[in-house]
Amino acid sequence: MKRALITGITGQDGAYLSRLLVDKGYQVHGIVRRVALEDPDHRLWRLKPLLKKIKLHAGSLESYASLFNIVQKVKPDECYHLAAQSFVSYSFEDEFSTINTNINGTLYILSAIKHKAPNCKFYFAGSSEMFGNVREIPQKESTPFYPRSPYGISKVAGFELTRNYRESYKLFACNGILFNHESPMRGYEFVTRKITLGAARIKAGLAKELKLGNLDAKRDWGFAGDFVEAMYLMLQQEKPDDYVVSTGETHTVKQFAELAFSCAGLDWKKYIKQDKELFRPAEVNLLIGDSSKAKRVLGWKPKVRFKELVKMMMDEDMRRLKIL
Ligand code: NAP
Ligand code: GDD
């Protein structure tokens, strides 16, 4: 039985990836913050159906010793490093903790693997945010990075650390450069879930309006369930490499909102208010990925397209509020 270790297992991608690996017969281990074990109902909600099938270990991205001990104990065959302060907007408010957690956390886990599980295959959760002020359209593996946020900068550092461990210490270490991916398990602070939950609450009579920031930003939005398959496939190849994972379609925040509200039979223009406070000090205006390398080498392509994704998220939020 292969052993997989997932950092950030409590997040959106952690939940989809755990399901995928459990279904493939892996023994799945996850690293969680200690408080998660004290308050499992709240903090482990995404993992509820899987809790009997996975093993959780308390550890912290800020503590090398805790990560070292877990890697030594689990001796994983594959490690998926997903944990990060992942909210771009917050990274402008607290750049110090974002940089510390995201860069040091990646360095610590890579070092622990080098020392205690050197044959373990490693996946780093890189991001299209690294392209930032894009130098090329669409963005592919060779597109230069130009990050626009402390979060983006921390991911460029994690990407380079991963590449360096691959080249210097011969670790099987891969970078995924994943474009935005969403689902009914997306965190509430990200714009897609904020919109679908907001529209469902308005429909249910629980809210009267929804405040958003920049409606013109364009994102290449895919489905998280599809994207975790690409992570898995990267670690099944003969050689480690870096891959863009995206749908190749881009839409504005406004288009997402228009479609989501229409799924609830609402006219978005009546309910969405723009709030200057929600604009970012530096914006990433356009993201659109070219994932032809992932298609060619991994045989990966997205199954869920934009309209289906928006409807899936809207339906689930309306079901939760018992209006569907
Ligand atoms: P998410 O839902 O925000 O999950 C983040 C995970 O990281 C959570 O399990 C969280 O644990 C954990 N974490 C955060 N700070 C931590 C710390 N100091 N110590 C230990 N654990 C910590 O993110 P996601 O959407 O699943 O994304 C997974 C990874 O992919 C992230 O690295 C993200 O930056 C990257 N990524 C995401 C996307 C996307 O569109 N979703 C695209 C590209 C890259 P708690 O539950 O305890 O907070
Ligand atoms: N969160 C949020 N809230 N975003 C808003 C809002 C709002 O009220 N109004 C407009 N937006 C715009 C943001 O300015 C941004 O241009 C876009 O919506 C998407 O914002 P998010 O959903 O917060 O995602 P993100 O693109 O910044 O970051 C996500 O994708 C990255 C990959 O490109 C995160 O998942 C990152 O962790 C990930 O790396």
Side-chain angles (χ1 to χ4, degrees), residues 8 10-13 33 62 82-84 86 151 155 178 181 186:
T10 57
Q12 169 190 257
D13 291 6
R33 301 192 232 209
E62 285 83 32
L82 309 183
S86 73
Y151 168 83
K155 286 290 178 179
L178 270 56
H181 44 280
R186 186 57 145 151

Side-chain angles (χ1 to χ4, degrees), residues 20-244:
L20 178 100
L21 295 174
V22 164
D23 288 350
K24 287 190 182 295
Y26 277 67
Q27 191 183 94
V28 174
H29 297 256
I31 300 181
V32 297
R33 301 192 232 209
R34 193 188 53 79
V35 283
L37 300 176
E38 271 176 15
D39 182 13
D41 278 349
H42 173 56
R43 299 224 173 213
L44 303 177
W45 65 273
R46 293 185 177 97
L47 295 171
K48 244 182 205 156
L50 287 170
L51 281 177
K52 290 204 171 82
K53 297 179 178 160
I54 60 180
K55 178 138 183 50
L56 300 178
H57 306 263
S60 159
L61 278 193
E62 285 83 32
S63 153
Y64 179 61
S66 73
L67 300 178
F68 183 91
N69 288 337
I70 295 168
V71 169
Q72 173 164 257
K73 194 160 133 197
V74 174
K75 288 257 177 338
D77 299 294
E78 294 173 13
C79 174
Y80 297 85
H81 176 44
L82 309 183
Q85 191 304 93
S86 73
F87 190 33
V88 175
S89 192
Y90 182 69
S91 79
F92 289 105
E93 284 165 42
D94 186 356
E95 63 272 43
F96 298 96
S97 76
T98 303
I99 295 271
N100 279 339
T101 302
N102 293 4
I103 302 181
N104 286 337
T106 304
L107 179 56
Y108 295 162
I109 191 91
L110 276 166
S111 172
I113 285 173
K114 178 184 119 185
H115 288 295
K116 287 291 153 194
N119 294 322
C120 172
K121 295 178 172 181
F122 178 82
Y123 171 83
F124 173 67
S127 163
S128 50
E129 240 339 86
M130 301 188 300
F131 295 124
N133 189 358
V134 300
R135 308 283 88 190
E136 188 178 20
I137 299 170
Q139 298 84 53
K140 51 182 184 283
E141 291 78 5
S142 55
T143 304
F145 297 140
Y146 192 141
R148 295 269 282 167
S149 61
Y151 168 83
I153 294 166
S154 76
K155 286 290 178 179
V156 172
F159 177 97
E160 296 297 356
L161 282 167
T162 302
R163 180 154 64 186
N164 191 253
Y165 267 68
R166 176 167 80 218
E167 291 171 0
S168 310
Y169 308 116
K170 308 296 169 228
L171 284 195
F172 190 112
C174 298
N175 284 298
I177 307 175
L178 270 56
F179 283 62
N180 299 50
H181 44 280
E182 320 293 315
S183 75
M185 289 206 275
R186 186 57 145 151
Y188 300 113
E189 67 273 52
F190 300 98
V191 79
T192 54
R193 189 73 199 286
K194 186 173 169 184
I195 292 171
T196 59
L197 189 63
R201 283 174 53 80
I202 290 170
K203 182 75 178 173
L206 299 171
K208 290 195 164 40
E209 62 174 31
L210 178 66
K211 285 188 180 164
L212 294 177
N214 181 7
L215 300 179
D216 298 319
K218 289 182 163 177
R219 290 291 182 275
D220 179 333
W221 280 296
F223 171 50
D226 288 346
F227 280 41
V228 299
E229 280 180 21
M231 298 176 186
Y232 165 76
L233 288 170
M234 284 178 215
L235 299 200
Q236 313 313 312
Q237 305 306 305
E238 277 187 13
K239 286 190 192 145
D241 207 343
D242 308 326
Y243 299 89
V244 159

